[in-house]
Amino acid sequence: MIKVTLKDGNIKEYENKISVKEIAESISPGLMRVALAGEVDGVLKDLRYEVATDSDINILKFDSDGGKNAYRHTSSHILAQAVKRLFPNVKLAIGPSIENGFYYDFDSEKTFLTEDIEKIENEVKKIIKENLKIEKFILSKNEAIEFMKEKKEDYKVELIADLDDSEEISFYKQGEFVDLCAGPHLMSTGQVKAMKILSFAGAYWRGNEKNKMLQRIYGTSFPKRKELDEYIEKLEEAKKRDHRKLGKELELFEFMNEGIGFPFFLNKGMILKNTLLDYWRKIHTKAGYTEISTPIILNKDLWMQSGHWSYYKENMYTTTIDENEYAIKPMNCPGGILVYKNKKHSYKEFPIKVGELGLVHRHEKSGVLHGLMRVRNFTQDDAHIYMLPDQIKDEIKNVLKLIDDVYSTFGFKYHIELSTKPEKSIGTDEEWNRAIEALKGSLEDNNIEFKINEGDGAFYGPKIDIHLEDCLGRTWQCGTIQLDFQLPQKFDLEYIGSDGEKHRPTMIHRVVFGSIERFIGILIEHFAGKFPLWISPVQVKILSISEKFDEYVDTVLNELNNNGIRVEVDRRNEKIGYKIREARNERVPYIAIIGESESKNSTISIRSRHNQDEGSINLNEFINRLKEEIDKKIIY
């Protein structure tokens, strides 16, 4: 008898081994119709997988990550099959599911063009309509290599050659199409209901620029046409909100060929950036942090001691000074640690909270650069907290509260993930487990929901990652809390305890914005450039109907300036309707129009983004309204 424990705790018993599909069917026919894959003892499996021993089973639908993975992984195979039918000489590389879709990489002498999309999508529809049964089979490593050699799939042969000799190699077959794949997949091609090709791009084989450039086709798929249409609408809206386009239009920042991947902030962009930094300083001072600044360039010995030279060197810029090797800092932590070591500390000082708005440089490959979202230098709002072991939970709670306050100020929702030990790491399993349990316990004690993100921690410790959600439902990883037992050991950090003896402090690394530049990019897209008044580079645009009213325009300008309102004046000899349209395109929160009536009555006519034409208002009343809106950080 096989006992199967379901996600809700119910137990079902079966006399013989049984497939995940049959288990779903035994629970309910309705569940079977929407089931896409299963988790067996926490491992993602096909519905065709047979359960032979007592197991924990979770049936996965499209609303789960595992269900989406199986659905979109199958979609990538359908895409590859369609391309092979149309262009038989292409060679297959890889085709994984990714967030919001999938892609497949091809080696093809033919360059895929926009006009090929319709041909490929028509072939995709045929394959779906054929409802081809998807079958899995296993070969030994030698058999698999010979099999792929016969098919002249050189990239698959290379992938198989890198696998362990004793490993069984799995393949999936649908009609005439066969692909090397670990799975999982759906039961047939007909289960994919709505699929669309999104774009083409170049991609180096295995992500290495020394390898051949392949052609990548991106796509997405959904169980319902309506869901696909809604997603495409979001993509179109995202194009309109693209921070690279709006950043240029709103004169916030530029990228130039003289510094690929290094952003140039223009005056309005600096106003926005400095407003955010001023806000950061204010809330951190209130929370008990002190601020420091450490050098951008530090010698190789420091980076060897921290572990960055061994684990992160490929992402670091290096230089030689006085015949010694130095690195431009990719992170602020080692410099901050040197500041801690600069003097002796007592347990009475703890927790010690030290913040730094440090400029860091990381060598990102040109293919992954993306506006402000992925750059080669950025300002990281780091802070390091040194504390006693019994202060860990309280300090993590305090950091989470600070992050919640910041994200709420901008109207962001968010979710939390706990990232565990990566492949490249320092420290023992015991130390890692202790750190992971400390973070996990802090979240659980505060009744905070979280997901486990296996293997995505920093090389020196696990971390809590905060993923904020923008108005289009996209998520961005920004805030991070990393618990570190390693660097305090590596740098021999100490404090004098209540017993008069030396002890090792525990350390937290944490950021709120993450990268100021990236956070600005997110804000641009989230608000479509229509920033809340308090962070708008220009808060009021004064439009003069005629130069005859310049004297009163200057009076209004001075009053606004004297009250700390950021203001511009448009005195051009243009029609007022034209100037209003331009000010709207600049996303200015308030437009103040001054003509004869306003000049005579000492008023202004205002137009706001949220209420449009609001008519005339007394200048002092208008200023008080602006100051209240700024002070309360109101979002309309």
Side-chain angles (χ1 to χ4, degrees):
M1 191 69 70
I2 299 169
K3 288 185 178 180
V4 168
T5 304
L6 303 177
K7 188 179 180 181
D8 62 5
N10 286 328
I11 296 174
K12 294 183 76 71
E13 295 186 344
Y14 303 93
E15 290 186 7
N16 302 305
K17 64 181 179 179
I18 184 169
S19 70
V20 176
K21 177 185 175 182
E22 290 168 326
I23 293 171
E25 199 166 18
S26 73
I27 296 169
S28 82
L31 178 60
M32 179 56 240
R33 283 194 293 272
V34 294
L36 302 175
E39 277 180 345
V40 180
D41 294 326
V43 180
L44 198 57
K45 297 290 185 182
D46 291 320
L47 290 178
R48 58 181 66 76
Y49 178 81
E50 292 189 325
V51 179
T53 59
D54 293 353
S55 304
D56 293 332
I57 303 291
N58 183 18
I59 307 299
L60 301 176
K61 301 181 287 187
F62 192 77
D63 61 1
S64 67
D65 290 342
K68 285 187 178 76
N69 177 283
Y71 195 91
R72 287 170 172 160
H73 204 162
T74 301
S75 301
S76 78
H77 279 214
I78 293 172
L79 168 63
Q81 184 176 14
V83 170
K84 285 288 278 186
R85 281 185 178 183
L86 294 168
F87 312 103
N89 293 326
V90 301
K91 292 180 189 273
L92 303 173
I94 58 171
S97 66
I98 56 175
E99 186 179 6
N100 296 321
F102 57 88
Y103 68 78
Y104 212 107
D105 289 344
F106 301 93
D107 184 355
S108 172
E109 291 182 8
K110 173 193 163 43
T111 301
F112 297 122
L113 303 170
T114 305
E115 49 262 37
D116 293 317
I117 290 178
E118 186 177 354
K119 287 189 232 175
I120 297 171
E121 285 187 338
N122 286 337
E123 198 62 42
V124 161
K125 289 174 184 174
K126 288 181 188 175
I127 293 167
I128 291 172
K129 191 174 182 180
E130 288 169 19
N131 195 24
L132 301 171
K133 184 180 179 183
I134 300 174
E135 300 171 287
K136 179 179 180 179
F137 63 92
I138 302 292
L139 296 176
S140 69
K141 182 176 179 179
N142 289 336
E143 290 171 332
I145 289 174
E146 289 306 312
F147 183 57
M148 285 289 101
K149 279 183 177 178
E150 287 174 15
K151 292 185 171 293
K152 299 181 180 178
E153 295 291 359
D154 302 340
Y155 296 96
K156 303 295 183 181
V157 171
E158 183 179 330
L159 289 171
I160 297 166
D162 288 345
L163 298 174
D164 190 271
D165 288 344
S166 61
E167 198 168 337
E168 289 187 323
I169 315 298
S170 63
F171 292 83
Y172 283 83
K173 179 179 184 296
Q174 54 198 52
E176 81 288 356
F177 179 79
V178 179
D179 201 358
L180 167 72
C181 191
H185 284 280
L186 306 182
M187 302 299 286
S188 73
T189 60
Q191 283 182 268
V192 175
K193 302 301 180 185
M195 182 168 155
K196 185 168 181 60
I197 293 172
L198 299 175
S199 62
F200 300 130
Y204 291 109
W205 169 236
R206 291 190 156 182
N208 188 337
E209 63 266 28
K210 294 179 182 178
N211 292 334
K212 186 171 184 178
M213 174 71 79
L214 306 177
Q215 295 184 68
R216 176 170 293 179
I217 301 180
Y218 284 98
T220 192
S221 55
F222 289 86
K224 296 178 182 177
R225 168 58 61 176
K226 182 184 175 185
E227 293 174 324
L228 175 60
D229 290 342
E230 288 172 351
Y231 179 72
I232 299 302
E233 282 179 23
K234 280 187 178 180
L235 287 182
E236 292 303 314
E237 181 61 28
K239 287 179 186 176
K240 295 176 190 174
R241 293 169 176 261
D242 190 320
H243 75 283
R244 295 166 297 180
K245 171 176 170 286
L246 290 177
K248 190 176 185 68
E249 289 176 6
L250 300 178
E251 299 179 353
L252 300 174
F253 63 88
E254 288 276 5
F255 284 93
M256 303 184 191
N257 291 333
E258 290 80 359
I260 303 296
F262 299 94
F264 288 72
F265 273 86
L266 308 180
N267 177 248
K268 290 178 181 176
M270 279 307 298
I271 292 171
L272 172 58
K273 184 176 180 179
N274 285 332
T275 302
L276 291 172
L277 297 184
D278 289 344
Y279 168 66
W280 184 94
R281 287 188 168 100
K282 183 177 179 180
I283 60 175
H284 281 77
T285 298
K286 185 178 178 182
Y289 290 79
T290 58
E291 186 179 354
I292 62 170
S293 176
T294 62
I296 291 178
I297 300 176
L298 294 163
N299 70 22
K300 175 184 175 180
D301 292 343
L302 177 72
W303 303 109
M304 290 283 289
Q305 188 175 2
S306 70
H308 288 86
W309 200 266
S310 300
Y311 292 90
Y312 206 75
K313 187 173 183 292
E314 65 274 14
N315 292 100
M316 296 166 65
Y317 294 109
T318 59
T319 187
T320 301
I321 302 174
D322 297 334
E323 299 182 357
N324 294 313
E325 283 190 90
Y326 281 72
I328 302 173
K329 66 177 180 181
M331 298 172 186
N332 296 309
C333 336
I337 287 172
L338 292 182
V339 172
Y340 176 89
K341 283 177 67 76
N342 194 44
K343 69 172 189 175
K344 293 181 179 179
H345 298 279
S346 162
Y347 74 97
K348 294 178 182 179
E349 299 173 59
F350 286 11
I352 298 172
K353 305 177 185 182
V354 184
E356 177 174 12
L357 294 164
L359 184 65
V360 299
H361 291 70
R362 297 180 184 178
H363 178 52
E364 301 285 3
K365 293 178 181 177
S366 57
V368 301
L369 298 174
H370 180 75
L372 294 179
M373 304 303 192
R374 198 71 174 265
V375 290
R376 286 173 169 160
N377 77 309
F378 56 92
T379 306
Q380 195 167 44
D381 65 318
D382 260 319
H384 298 101
I385 304 172
Y386 306 92
M387 60 203 160
L388 307 174
D390 62 2
Q391 294 173 330
I392 292 175
K393 288 184 179 180
D394 282 342
E395 287 312 308
I396 290 174
K397 180 180 178 180
N398 291 338
V399 174
L400 288 168
K401 173 65 168 61
L402 183 68
I403 289 173
D404 181 72
D405 288 345
V406 172
Y407 290 175
S408 298
T409 297
F410 295 98
F412 289 122
K413 295 185 290 184
Y414 61 87
H415 72 268
I416 288 175
E417 294 182 2
L418 175 56
S419 299
T420 59
K421 186 178 181 181
E423 284 186 25
K424 293 173 69 175
S425 61
I426 56 178
T428 65
D429 286 343
E430 181 184 350
E431 290 167 333
W432 271 86
N433 291 336
R434 185 158 55 99
I436 290 168
E437 286 305 311
L439 289 178
K440 189 176 179 183
S442 298
L443 292 169
E444 289 173 343
D445 286 356
N446 289 289
N447 297 313
I448 295 172
E449 291 186 12
F450 64 94
K451 291 196 305 183
I452 299 291
N453 185 9
E454 295 288 354
D456 202 37
F459 72 85
Y460 49 78
K463 56 180 180 166
I464 294 170
D465 288 326
I466 296 93
H467 298 257
L468 60 82
E469 181 181 324
D470 68 15
C471 66
L472 295 180
R474 300 172 301 180
T475 57
W476 307 89
Q477 194 271 305
C478 290
T480 298
I481 307 170
Q482 299 170 356
L483 186 58
D484 184 3
F485 294 117
Q486 304 302 323
L487 292 187
Q489 290 182 39
K490 281 182 165 290
F491 284 92
D492 194 25
L493 300 190
E494 296 175 343
Y495 69 90
I496 303 301
S498 59
D499 57 0
E501 299 296 323
K502 292 179 180 179
H503 298 273
R504 184 91 62 218
T506 302
M507 183 179 180
I508 283 178
H509 309 249
R510 46 108 298 194
V511 294
V512 180
F513 293 139
S515 153
I516 302 296
E517 287 73 7
R518 187 164 180 261
F519 196 76
I520 287 172
I522 294 167
L523 289 178
I524 292 170
E525 298 198 1
H526 179 63
F527 291 113
K530 298 176 182 177
F531 301 115
L533 181 67
W534 73 278
I535 59 170
S536 291
V538 178
Q539 294 167 324
V540 178
K541 187 87 175 240
I542 300 174
L543 309 183
S544 175
I545 289 178
S546 168
E547 62 184 17
K548 292 186 294 184
F549 313 116
D550 277 357
E551 185 177 346
Y552 183 58
V553 166
D554 289 338
T555 299
V556 174
L557 174 64
N558 290 334
E559 281 298 309
L560 290 170
N561 275 328
N562 291 338
N563 281 276
I565 308 299
R566 295 188 288 270
V567 58
E568 284 186 352
V569 179
D570 186 347
R571 302 178 192 265
R572 293 177 299 166
N573 187 23
E574 298 283 359
K575 291 182 178 179
I576 193 65
Y578 174 78
K579 294 206 277 191
I580 290 171
R581 285 194 300 276
E582 282 215 331
R584 280 177 177 165
N585 289 337
E586 292 169 9
R587 276 80 165 175
V588 178
Y590 287 94
I591 299 169
I593 301 168
I594 295 176
E596 184 175 0
S597 173
E598 290 78 19
S599 181
K600 185 184 297 183
N601 299 311
S602 296
T603 60
I604 53 174
S605 290
I606 66 166
R607 288 172 179 262
S608 64
R609 276 199 315 239
H610 51 285
N611 289 329
Q612 302 303 316
D613 188 352
E614 297 191 29
S616 294
I617 187 173
N618 174 272
L619 178 57
N620 288 332
E621 185 183 339
F622 179 53
I623 289 172
N624 289 334
R625 170 178 165 179
L626 293 176
K627 291 169 79 171
E628 182 181 10
E629 188 176 329
I630 291 167
D631 186 57
K632 292 183 177 179
K633 297 180 174 57
I634 292 171
I635 298 174
Y636 287 108

